[in-house]
Amino acid sequence: MIELIHLEKKYDLAAPLKDVNTVISRGDIISVIGPSGTGKSTLLRCINLLEKPTGGQILLDGEEITAPKYNPTKARSRMGMVFQSFNLFNHLTVIENLIIPS
Amino acid sequence: MSDLYVTEENKKAIPLSEALFTVEITGMVRDEGYAAAARPFWESVTDSFRKTFIVENRWQLFLDGIGTTLLITVLSILFGTALGFSVFLLCRKGNPVANGVTHILIRLVTGLPTVVLLMVLYYVIFGGLTVSAAVVSVICFSLVFGSAVCAMVKGRVDTVGVGQTEAACSLGLTDRKAFFHVVLPQALPYILPQYREQISALVKATSVVGYVAVQDLTKMGDIIRSRTFEAFFPLLVVAAVYFLLAELLTWLACRLEIRMDPKRRSKEKIMKGVAASD
């Protein structure tokens, strides 16, 4: 279960995420829809901790992954993420691309 | 030893004893009408060859010189690679001030002519200590090679897209693992050809160590030349040996390049890694 509580991400010139609250339960299939530049990717990157949220909390199964001392690797190893540009590892074979986290 | 003149300025700089004996300097001017006695070509070649290599076992001087050049080059490659790569790793997540200082030092090393850097190290920085000139040469060329290694690793690693690091991290790899398993293997095939070029450049650059009285290949050639007044064979041999040394080391680096290319791994090796991760 992923919970977002008052999630906020601000840049110097823009604030794509303002007070985002949601609960995503096991088995949910969610689409995030919006025009270009409205923060869809930023939201996903925040949940994966590739971007550091500037405010609010993210809970993964009740554990706060936005806590200052939380190790991002721990949360990421339990999430799968497909990037817009895929980012396949060119130097590895298909099977290695599939198993690399192990 | 070169000439030492007893002047007022010299007396202030070093304590000189009373002059024990003096040497007269003689100047010679060639007679314009003189022509060397004509000798058969073949005879002059064999005579020159004999003087350059056989007399006083002078070929041993060449061997000593090759050994010294090779030793300085190989040690500088090893230390320089370790140094350059360590500095790169430390700077990767280093603080901006330390990185700035390192950057300036690297600029200094690459910005000075190697022979000037060598003399600064030998006469100024290690001037007060009894460090052998060969050691100072190795330090100098390790710094030069290390700077080059650091710059080329940084340059090539930066060209691997940030998305690769992000993708690796999002899969749960730590930052260190993402670098060593994903980013570096993709940069290496581009780093190694440059590395090869640097090795070839280094072999040639070491020819200036004679400036701090290290008897390397070039210096040995000079010594023999000054004894025999024959330039042909000493320079020919020196040139040929440098070429061959550069070719040899480049060839070794080439072998390394092929071994480290992730795309050339054998099927067995890939499957072994796959099986090991189960």
Side-chain angles (χ1 to χ4, degrees), chain B residues 41-253:
Chain B
F41 172 73
W42 186 244
E43 191 182 308
S44 72
V45 169
T46 49
D47 186 50
S48 168
F49 183 86
R50 197 180 54 78
K51 278 200 275 186
T52 304
F53 298 106
I54 317 283
V55 175
E56 294 180 349
N57 279 341
R58 285 181 184 143
W59 54 273
Q60 280 181 338
L61 290 182
F62 281 114
L63 282 190
D64 288 352
I66 292 170
T68 308
T69 293
L70 203 56
L71 186 73
I72 291 176
T73 308
V74 170
L75 287 181
S76 302
I77 290 172
L78 295 178
F79 292 141
T81 307
L83 178 76
F85 198 67
S86 317
V87 168
F88 167 78
L89 287 181
L90 290 174
C91 283
R92 208 164 65 89
K93 299 279 167 197
N95 81 23
V97 179
N99 281 6
V101 173
T102 314
H103 185 69
I104 291 170
L105 287 177
I106 289 177
R107 292 294 294 217
L108 258 181
V109 170
T110 47
L112 288 177
T114 316
V115 62
V116 175
L117 179 70
L118 179 67
M119 292 205 284
V120 167
L121 283 173
Y122 186 66
Y123 292 112
V124 181
I125 295 175
F126 292 104
L129 307 165
T130 46
V131 183
S132 97
V135 173
V136 176
S137 303
V138 171
I139 293 173
C140 172
F141 287 103
S142 298
L143 286 175
V144 170
F145 198 71
S147 309
V149 167
C150 187
M152 69 188 158
V153 172
K154 184 169 170 13
R156 285 303 174 175
V157 162
D158 286 349
T159 60
V160 177
V162 68
Q164 293 285 314
T165 309
E166 286 184 348
C169 285
S170 76
L171 286 167
L173 267 67
T174 57
D175 178 68
R176 175 187 293 261
K177 274 195 170 167
F179 177 73
F180 280 104
H181 293 295
V182 173
V183 178
L184 189 62
Q186 294 187 56
L188 267 183
Y190 300 97
I191 294 171
L192 288 173
Q194 265 179 298
Y195 186 73
R196 207 159 20 115
E197 292 301 313
Q198 282 298 328
I199 287 178
S200 162
L202 182 74
V203 177
K204 292 177 269 175
T206 59
S207 64
V208 299
V209 293
Y211 272 90
V212 293
V214 175
Q215 298 193 324
D216 72 323
L217 182 58
T218 307
K219 189 73 184 172
M220 289 305 191
D222 285 349
I223 291 171
I224 291 168
R225 224 148 36 88
S226 68
R227 285 201 201 152
T228 59
F229 293 123
E230 298 279 355
F232 180 74
F233 276 114
L235 286 180
L236 192 76
V237 166
V238 168
V241 171
Y242 272 115
F243 182 75
L244 291 177
L245 281 184
E247 286 294 303
L248 173 74
L249 291 172
T250 309
W251 179 80
L252 286 175

Side-chain angles (χ1 to χ4, degrees), chain A residues 36-90:
Chain A
S36 159
T38 45
K40 306 179 297 294
S41 302
T42 307
L43 176 67
L44 292 179
R45 290 170 63 85
C46 279
I47 296 173
N48 209 324
L49 297 174
L50 288 171
E51 299 282 350
K52 206 173 155 51
T54 45
Q57 293 171 306
I58 301 168
L59 307 188
L60 180 64
D61 290 336
E63 193 178 6
E64 191 194 342
I65 64 172
T66 41
K69 291 210 169 156
Y70 188 82
N71 177 10
T73 306
K74 203 173 143 197
R76 287 172 186 156
S77 64
R78 292 162 62 200
M79 289 186 200
M81 178 155 173
V82 177
F83 288 80
Q84 260 164 324
S85 52
F86 303 122
N87 290 329
L88 287 170
F89 303 131
N90 270 325

